[in-house]
Amino acid sequence: MDEELESVEEWIKKLNIKSTKDVQVPKILFDQVIGQDEAGEVVKKAAIQKRHVLLIGEPGTGKSMLAQSMVDFLPKEELEDILVFPNPEDSNRPKIKTLPAGKGKEVVRQYQIKAEREKKDRSRGVLFLIFSVVFLGLIISIVISNWTILFFAIIAAAILWMALAFNPAMRTERAMIPKLLVSHTPNDKPPFVDSTGAHSGALLGDVRHDPFQSGGLETPAHERVEAGNIHKAHKGVLFIDEINLLRPESQQALLTAMQEKKFPISGQSERSAGAMVQTEPVPCDFILVAAGNLDAIQGMHPALRSRIRGYGYEVYMNSVMDDTDENRRKLVQFIAQEVVKDKKIPHFDTGAIVEVIKEAQRRSGRKGKLTLRLRELGGLVRVAGDIAVSEKADIVTADHVIRAKRLSKPLEQQVADKSIEVKKQYKTFLTEGSAVGTVNGLAVVGANNGLSDFSGIVMPIVAEVTPAIQKGRGEVIATGKLGEIAKEAVQNVSAVFKKISGSSKDITNMDVHIQFVGTYEGVEGDSASVSIATAVISAMENIPVDQSVAMTGSLSVRGQVLPVGGVTAKVEAAIDAGLKKVIVPASNFGDIVLDHAHKDRIEIVPVTTIREVLENALVDCPAKTELLSKMGGPVAEGTKAVMPNKKARAGGNVA
Ligand SMILES: Nc1ncnc2c1ncn2[C@@H]1O[C@H](COP(=O)(O)OP(=O)(O)OP(=O)(O)O)[C@@H](O)[C@H]1O
């Protein structure tokens, strides 16, 4: 951490609070969104101007919160109820009517009252007719003294009753009642409809199947019409996360709906009786807020994207914010919000707040930053709260948060822990002694699964140099399911070891084999290039590598060590594996924020060149001295300048 940055423990004292109970939670959702000031401004503007928005960013950074908060800024327009009526001329083309909010229910009620009245009148008429037939039969029977007439009259009355009661023509009053598709009360806020993951029927509306279809038992077409989310969002906001997962036809239909501001409802399943029905166009004047991560743009229908670009805004969400007083205060507000929202967990005391802020520093993965992956941080808050509840504590303390961090390890970390146990048991990697061509590399898992708190893992890399199969055409062969970037990294690293060993060895007559041991998940990225170079140089020069050392770092073709991601997780993995020293790129040194369980347990060596890596990783011997002197004498000037003092090296950057 930067010297000028105050420790969180010192900082919290100035805040003058005892717990998150003393923190005011803003009433408006918009003010609860933390760290997304630019996105917030754009979204507000879009709401006022009724523009569509594309929110791109990492998961759990507040996209849906921002979309939801837009309804508070939408211009006060009359909300509308939408009704669907039967069409006497064409029963498969129901009619659509809009009415001011609240009026829809009234109209339906009026139709229902009318239908009930008509039904009563009809029942009375039928009863009168039946009674008359029976009465007439009785009179005639008495007059002619023949009771058979009465018997026939009763039978005739029964047939008449059945014919009238079940005659579809007599049930028309029910069939005339309109259906309320979308309803509001006059004081309702504009609607916010989350249509994430909805299939096309739920998004665009549908007409249900009718098993009877005819013969008097069928349900009238208009009664089977169901509003889609685009219609429910009329005069409000329609939010679709992971928009790229929506089928292209649905995206096309969505685009039409946005252009026309109305969209007819028809049966979505071709084989259903609902497919015969199509309503008149149904109003759907909504603001679309589409969201997703960067990949979402690729999966978006180009015309839909262009519509948003042309009639709206595109925003990239922040995934970290600066570690400043103001932003720390916002995080305290966030914890208070999460506690209030959860309703079951107690408030956090200042010690617990400190731990959460430190975790936000750690998860940012960068020096002087705080993470904005707040859904995941909220998860930590809830787990800590649950631990406190299970222990009947009336406040969450630092101890609860520390235990929650251990409990809420991501799956990837749990798998990594298990695999380290196995690797250690079978000695897939060593933690002491020395070995030629063998390096403890470090990698992260989980980064591709959208997790912010990557999990580290020790990734042993071994190298062997053999005479070339084709003389004069030595090859570099790397195995371990390498991704594209990892393959390129191997090529780039070749330049470094060719240069270092080239003058003493005829590299064209050697095949260099590089193996990533036990990497069944595959290797992505170039953060192993420093480890590859060390393993190969050790193998070429026959100089053993200290096995208590782990390393990570990307390497330029000129031998400079460049920064990598997930450095905290990697250092933690080295500590958990029982290693003594970890070599990291100097530019990443400030990013390392170790938690309580890892504090002061390893020597962290920041480096800027491959020469320094070798200096720290290779076992002292005459061959090493010769190699280093060949590489350019003492440590370079720039390196000395960034090397932190001994104390920092031993403890790492502990928050
Ligand atoms: N910027 C933020 N400010 C405050 N709370 C946040 C923020 N971002 C996320 N959260 C918390 O995380 C929860 C989920 O956030 P939200 O659904 O808005 O994320 P998202 O970006 O839409 O994620 P996804 O793309 O995965 O759906 C919120 O309910 C809130 O508790």
Side-chain angles (χ1 to χ4, degrees), residues 474-506:
E475 270 190 278
V476 178
I477 304 146
T479 57
K481 280 176 80 182
L482 307 199
E484 281 308 310
I485 299 179
K487 278 186 200 151
E488 283 176 16
V490 171
Q491 293 307 318
N492 293 339
V493 167
S494 310
V496 176
F497 60 67
K498 275 180 201 161
K499 178 153 189 232
I500 293 173
S501 297
S503 54
S504 55
K505 308 257 172 338
D506 182 7

Short mmCIF file of all heavy atoms in Angstrom, two decimals, residues 474-506:
data_model
loop_
_atom_site.label_atom_id
_atom_site.label_comp_id
_atom_site.label_asym_id
_atom_site.label_seq_id
_atom_site.Cartn_x
_atom_site.Cartn_y
_atom_site.Cartn_z
N GLY A 474 16.70 -26.91 -34.08
CA GLY A 474 16.18 -27.12 -32.72
C GLY A 474 14.79 -26.52 -32.56
O GLY A 474 14.48 -25.48 -33.13
N GLU A 475 13.95 -27.18 -31.73
CA GLU A 475 12.58 -26.73 -31.57
C GLU A 475 12.27 -26.45 -30.11
O GLU A 475 12.92 -27.00 -29.23
CB GLU A 475 11.63 -27.84 -32.03
CG GLU A 475 11.26 -27.79 -33.50
CD GLU A 475 10.15 -28.77 -33.77
OE1 GLU A 475 10.46 -29.96 -33.95
OE2 GLU A 475 8.99 -28.33 -33.76
N VAL A 476 11.26 -25.63 -29.90
CA VAL A 476 10.76 -25.43 -28.54
C VAL A 476 9.40 -26.09 -28.48
O VAL A 476 8.49 -25.74 -29.23
CB VAL A 476 10.62 -23.91 -28.20
CG1 VAL A 476 10.05 -23.74 -26.81
CG2 VAL A 476 11.98 -23.23 -28.31
N ILE A 477 9.25 -27.10 -27.61
CA ILE A 477 8.00 -27.86 -27.55
C ILE A 477 7.41 -27.69 -26.16
O ILE A 477 8.04 -28.04 -25.16
CB ILE A 477 8.26 -29.37 -27.83
CG1 ILE A 477 8.98 -29.51 -29.18
CG2 ILE A 477 6.98 -30.18 -27.79
CD1 ILE A 477 9.96 -30.64 -29.24
N ALA A 478 6.22 -27.11 -26.09
CA ALA A 478 5.59 -26.89 -24.78
C ALA A 478 4.30 -27.70 -24.70
O ALA A 478 3.52 -27.70 -25.64
CB ALA A 478 5.29 -25.41 -24.59
N THR A 479 4.09 -28.40 -23.57
CA THR A 479 2.85 -29.18 -23.40
C THR A 479 2.15 -28.78 -22.10
O THR A 479 2.78 -28.28 -21.18
CB THR A 479 3.15 -30.69 -23.35
OG1 THR A 479 4.08 -30.92 -22.29
CG2 THR A 479 3.70 -31.21 -24.65
N GLY A 480 0.83 -29.01 -22.07
CA GLY A 480 0.03 -28.67 -20.88
C GLY A 480 -1.21 -27.90 -21.27
O GLY A 480 -1.63 -27.00 -20.55
N LYS A 481 -1.81 -28.24 -22.41
CA LYS A 481 -3.04 -27.59 -22.89
C LYS A 481 -2.92 -26.06 -22.86
O LYS A 481 -3.64 -25.36 -22.16
CB LYS A 481 -4.23 -28.03 -22.03
CG LYS A 481 -4.77 -29.39 -22.42
CD LYS A 481 -5.87 -29.83 -21.50
CE LYS A 481 -7.19 -29.18 -21.84
NZ LYS A 481 -8.24 -29.60 -20.90
N LEU A 482 -1.92 -25.55 -23.59
CA LEU A 482 -1.68 -24.12 -23.58
C LEU A 482 -2.67 -23.36 -24.45
O LEU A 482 -2.95 -23.76 -25.57
CB LEU A 482 -0.26 -23.79 -24.07
CG LEU A 482 0.92 -24.48 -23.43
CD1 LEU A 482 2.20 -23.72 -23.70
CD2 LEU A 482 0.74 -24.60 -21.94
N GLY A 483 -3.17 -22.25 -23.93
CA GLY A 483 -4.03 -21.37 -24.72
C GLY A 483 -3.16 -20.55 -25.66
O GLY A 483 -1.93 -20.60 -25.59
N GLU A 484 -3.81 -19.74 -26.52
CA GLU A 484 -3.08 -18.96 -27.53
C GLU A 484 -2.01 -18.07 -26.91
O GLU A 484 -0.86 -18.05 -27.35
CB GLU A 484 -4.06 -18.09 -28.32
CG GLU A 484 -4.84 -18.83 -29.41
CD GLU A 484 -3.96 -19.62 -30.35
OE1 GLU A 484 -2.99 -19.04 -30.85
OE2 GLU A 484 -4.22 -20.83 -30.54
N ILE A 485 -2.41 -17.33 -25.86
CA ILE A 485 -1.48 -16.35 -25.28
C ILE A 485 -0.32 -17.08 -24.61
O ILE A 485 0.84 -16.67 -24.69
CB ILE A 485 -2.20 -15.41 -24.30
CG1 ILE A 485 -3.28 -14.65 -25.08
CG2 ILE A 485 -1.25 -14.45 -23.61
CD1 ILE A 485 -4.09 -13.69 -24.29
N ALA A 486 -0.64 -18.22 -23.97
CA ALA A 486 0.43 -18.99 -23.31
C ALA A 486 1.42 -19.49 -24.35
O ALA A 486 2.64 -19.47 -24.13
CB ALA A 486 -0.18 -20.14 -22.54
N LYS A 487 0.90 -19.89 -25.53
CA LYS A 487 1.80 -20.37 -26.60
C LYS A 487 2.71 -19.23 -27.07
O LYS A 487 3.91 -19.41 -27.26
CB LYS A 487 0.97 -20.88 -27.79
CG LYS A 487 0.49 -22.29 -27.60
CD LYS A 487 -0.21 -22.77 -28.86
CE LYS A 487 -1.10 -23.94 -28.56
NZ LYS A 487 -2.24 -24.04 -29.44
N GLU A 488 2.08 -18.06 -27.24
CA GLU A 488 2.88 -16.91 -27.68
C GLU A 488 3.94 -16.56 -26.64
O GLU A 488 5.07 -16.20 -26.98
CB GLU A 488 1.97 -15.70 -27.91
CG GLU A 488 1.22 -15.80 -29.22
CD GLU A 488 0.24 -14.65 -29.39
OE1 GLU A 488 0.35 -13.62 -28.68
OE2 GLU A 488 -0.63 -14.79 -30.24
N ALA A 489 3.54 -16.71 -25.35
CA ALA A 489 4.49 -16.40 -24.27
C ALA A 489 5.72 -17.30 -24.39
O ALA A 489 6.84 -16.84 -24.23
CB ALA A 489 3.82 -16.57 -22.92
N VAL A 490 5.49 -18.58 -24.70
CA VAL A 490 6.61 -19.52 -24.84
C VAL A 490 7.54 -19.05 -25.97
O VAL A 490 8.76 -19.03 -25.83
CB VAL A 490 6.09 -20.95 -25.11
CG1 VAL A 490 7.24 -21.88 -25.47
CG2 VAL A 490 5.35 -21.49 -23.90
N GLN A 491 6.92 -18.59 -27.08
CA GLN A 491 7.73 -18.09 -28.20
C GLN A 491 8.56 -16.88 -27.79
O GLN A 491 9.75 -16.78 -28.09
CB GLN A 491 6.83 -17.71 -29.39
CG GLN A 491 6.12 -18.87 -30.06
CD GLN A 491 7.09 -19.97 -30.45
OE1 GLN A 491 8.17 -19.71 -30.96
NE2 GLN A 491 6.73 -21.21 -30.17
N ASN A 492 7.89 -15.95 -27.06
CA ASN A 492 8.59 -14.73 -26.66
C ASN A 492 9.74 -15.04 -25.71
O ASN A 492 10.82 -14.45 -25.80
CB ASN A 492 7.63 -13.75 -25.99
CG ASN A 492 6.61 -13.23 -26.98
OD1 ASN A 492 6.84 -13.26 -28.19
ND2 ASN A 492 5.48 -12.75 -26.48
N VAL A 493 9.47 -15.98 -24.79
CA VAL A 493 10.48 -16.34 -23.81
C VAL A 493 11.69 -16.97 -24.51
O VAL A 493 12.83 -16.79 -24.09
CB VAL A 493 9.86 -17.29 -22.76
CG1 VAL A 493 10.95 -17.92 -21.92
CG2 VAL A 493 8.89 -16.56 -21.89
N SER A 494 11.43 -17.67 -25.61
CA SER A 494 12.53 -18.31 -26.34
C SER A 494 13.61 -17.29 -26.68
O SER A 494 14.81 -17.58 -26.61
CB SER A 494 12.03 -18.95 -27.63
OG SER A 494 10.91 -19.74 -27.35
N ALA A 495 13.18 -16.07 -27.02
CA ALA A 495 14.14 -15.02 -27.38
C ALA A 495 15.08 -14.77 -26.22
O ALA A 495 16.29 -14.59 -26.41
CB ALA A 495 13.38 -13.74 -27.73
N VAL A 496 14.52 -14.79 -25.00
CA VAL A 496 15.34 -14.49 -23.82
C VAL A 496 16.35 -15.60 -23.57
O VAL A 496 17.54 -15.34 -23.43
CB VAL A 496 14.42 -14.26 -22.59
CG1 VAL A 496 15.26 -14.04 -21.34
CG2 VAL A 496 13.48 -13.10 -22.84
N PHE A 497 15.86 -16.88 -23.52
CA PHE A 497 16.87 -17.90 -23.20
C PHE A 497 17.83 -18.16 -24.34
O PHE A 497 18.97 -18.57 -24.13
CB PHE A 497 16.24 -19.17 -22.60
CG PHE A 497 15.25 -19.92 -23.44
CD1 PHE A 497 15.62 -20.57 -24.61
CD2 PHE A 497 13.92 -20.00 -23.03
CE1 PHE A 497 14.70 -21.28 -25.35
CE2 PHE A 497 12.99 -20.72 -23.77
CZ PHE A 497 13.37 -21.35 -24.93
N LYS A 498 17.41 -17.87 -25.58
CA LYS A 498 18.36 -18.01 -26.69
C LYS A 498 19.49 -17.00 -26.51
O LYS A 498 20.65 -17.29 -26.73
CB LYS A 498 17.67 -17.74 -28.03
CG LYS A 498 16.96 -18.97 -28.60
CD LYS A 498 16.32 -18.59 -29.92
CE LYS A 498 15.22 -19.53 -30.28
NZ LYS A 498 14.31 -18.96 -31.29
N LYS A 499 19.07 -15.78 -26.10
CA LYS A 499 20.07 -14.72 -25.95
C LYS A 499 21.03 -15.06 -24.81
O LYS A 499 22.24 -14.92 -24.94
CB LYS A 499 19.38 -13.40 -25.70
CG LYS A 499 20.34 -12.27 -25.50
CD LYS A 499 19.76 -10.95 -25.88
CE LYS A 499 20.86 -9.91 -25.87
NZ LYS A 499 20.54 -8.75 -25.08
N ILE A 500 20.44 -15.51 -23.68
CA ILE A 500 21.26 -15.76 -22.49
C ILE A 500 22.23 -16.93 -22.73
O ILE A 500 23.40 -16.87 -22.40
CB ILE A 500 20.37 -16.02 -21.26
CG1 ILE A 500 19.62 -14.72 -20.91
CG2 ILE A 500 21.18 -16.50 -20.07
CD1 ILE A 500 18.58 -14.87 -19.84
N SER A 501 21.69 -18.02 -23.30
CA SER A 501 22.53 -19.21 -23.44
C SER A 501 23.18 -19.31 -24.82
O SER A 501 24.07 -20.13 -25.00
CB SER A 501 21.68 -20.46 -23.20
OG SER A 501 21.21 -20.46 -21.88
N GLY A 502 22.70 -18.50 -25.72
CA GLY A 502 23.09 -18.62 -27.12
C GLY A 502 24.58 -18.59 -27.37
O GLY A 502 25.10 -19.38 -28.16
N SER A 503 25.28 -17.71 -26.64
CA SER A 503 26.70 -17.57 -26.95
C SER A 503 27.50 -18.81 -26.52
O SER A 503 28.47 -19.16 -27.13
CB SER A 503 27.25 -16.31 -26.29
OG SER A 503 26.94 -16.36 -24.92
N SER A 504 27.01 -19.46 -25.41
CA SER A 504 27.78 -20.61 -24.92
C SER A 504 27.27 -21.92 -25.51
O SER A 504 27.97 -22.91 -25.53
CB SER A 504 27.72 -20.67 -23.39
OG SER A 504 26.38 -20.68 -22.98
N LYS A 505 25.99 -21.92 -25.94
CA LYS A 505 25.43 -23.19 -26.44
C LYS A 505 24.93 -22.97 -27.88
O LYS A 505 24.43 -21.90 -28.21
CB LYS A 505 24.21 -23.59 -25.60
CG LYS A 505 24.46 -23.63 -24.11
CD LYS A 505 24.61 -25.04 -23.64
CE LYS A 505 25.05 -25.21 -22.21
NZ LYS A 505 25.73 -24.19 -21.49
N ASP A 506 25.03 -24.02 -28.66
CA ASP A 506 24.47 -23.93 -30.02
C ASP A 506 23.02 -24.37 -29.97
O ASP A 506 22.70 -25.55 -30.05
CB ASP A 506 25.28 -24.82 -30.97
CG ASP A 506 24.75 -24.69 -32.39
OD1 ASP A 506 23.87 -23.82 -32.60
OD2 ASP A 506 25.20 -25.46 -33.25
#
